[in-house]
Amino acid sequence: MPAPTNAPTKQPPAADRVYQHVKQGVLDRRYEGGTLLTEGELAEAVGVSRTPVREALLRLETEGLLRLYPKKGALVLPVSAQEIADVVETRLLVEEFTVRRAVPAPPALLDRLEELLEAQRRHAGAGDLAAFAVADRCFHAEIVRSAGNQILSRLYDQLRDRQLRMGVAFMHGHPDRLAQSLAEHAGILAALRAGDAPAAAAAVRAHIGRVELLVRGASEVR
């Protein structure tokens, strides 16, 4: 017998709702580095008791996003310049290799990259930095996945949260990066369309290198 169409949608567990609320807030910088979050405030914001809040905060602490202080709350940790440099170095190693492997690029990949580039243009026009950062990250992830190396894909996926958080922070501090990033992505796509592996690798190296230049003058990202 089919279920009634007006049956209530089952909500995720309370701890998962708190986890997603806090994590998204950290990634899109509603909760910046240095912000002290209290269990009471979070419980009220999500509409749960304090027990699932503690469970969610412990999980986020193990991911390196927070540091817990008993009877005080959880401090959102800034991203250190060393962590940023490590992410940039890892991206260079993975992305230069995989963009070469992506040549000759299948039509489906080229179409998908064009879609993501157009999405970035829309988000840039709307001033939605969080959505822009997601589309930016997806653009690179599609190229990495296209290489067909599952181990590299999993390694790259582990950088996701750090990339999103850093991307939003950089764009807040360097708004000119929106136009630059769009132009650089267009260059990567053009090299892939041309079937030019060395040019595609050089475009990726220059694109990620721009981030590295910004990192040199940064002490931390909040």
Side-chain angles (χ1 to χ4, degrees):
M1 182 176 180
T5 56
N6 61 348
T9 303
K10 186 177 180 181
Q11 283 193 316
D16 288 350
R17 300 205 308 274
V18 178
Y19 170 84
Q20 291 297 335
H21 171 83
V22 177
K23 185 169 187 175
Q24 190 58 48
V26 172
L27 295 182
D28 64 22
R29 296 182 79 247
R30 281 183 291 112
Y31 299 137
E32 296 185 1
T35 302
L36 185 65
L37 306 175
T38 67
E39 291 181 3
E41 290 170 343
L42 294 174
E44 184 177 353
V46 184
V48 298
S49 68
R50 294 194 180 199
T51 299
V53 172
R54 295 188 193 103
E55 182 180 335
L57 294 181
L58 283 168
R59 185 176 167 189
L60 289 162
E61 184 179 45
T62 64
E63 295 181 9
L65 294 178
L66 307 175
R67 178 176 295 141
L68 300 186
Y69 291 92
K71 300 182 180 179
K72 291 184 179 180
L75 183 71
V76 179
L77 295 176
V79 181
S80 70
Q82 182 59 55
E83 182 178 355
I84 298 170
D86 290 347
V87 169
V88 168
E89 186 175 69
T90 304
R91 286 189 62 189
L92 279 170
L93 291 170
V94 173
E95 293 189 42
E96 274 198 68
F97 174 79
T98 54
V99 80
R100 287 179 179 274
R101 288 284 297 271
V103 176
L109 173 62
L110 297 174
D111 290 345
R112 177 59 178 153
L113 294 179
E114 187 61 59
E115 289 175 7
L116 289 167
L117 186 55
E118 182 55 37
Q120 285 183 269
R121 293 189 182 105
R122 290 197 306 272
H123 298 318
D128 190 339
L129 299 186
F132 184 96
V134 171
D136 183 304
R137 196 269 170 192
C138 287
F139 181 94
H140 292 278
E142 286 290 340
I143 297 173
V144 171
R145 279 194 290 271
S146 73
N149 187 313
Q150 295 300 313
I151 294 175
L152 285 181
S153 292
R154 286 195 293 270
L155 171 62
Y156 194 77
D157 285 343
Q158 290 173 9
L159 302 178
R160 177 183 182 276
D161 292 342
R162 291 180 171 87
Q163 284 181 257
L164 293 178
R165 189 179 179 195
M166 293 174 191
V168 174
F170 276 132
M171 286 182 286
H172 272 285
H174 303 271
D176 58 319
R177 274 300 297 163
L178 288 172
Q180 292 173 359
S181 182
L182 286 170
E184 290 160 10
H185 280 193
I188 294 169
L189 179 54
L192 287 172
R193 285 193 185 281
D196 190 335
V204 165
R205 186 166 57 252
H207 175 59
I208 299 175
R210 300 282 192 282
V211 176
E212 188 175 18
L213 289 174
L214 295 176
V215 168
R216 288 178 185 173
S219 58
E220 62 182 26
V221 168
R222 294 184 179 279

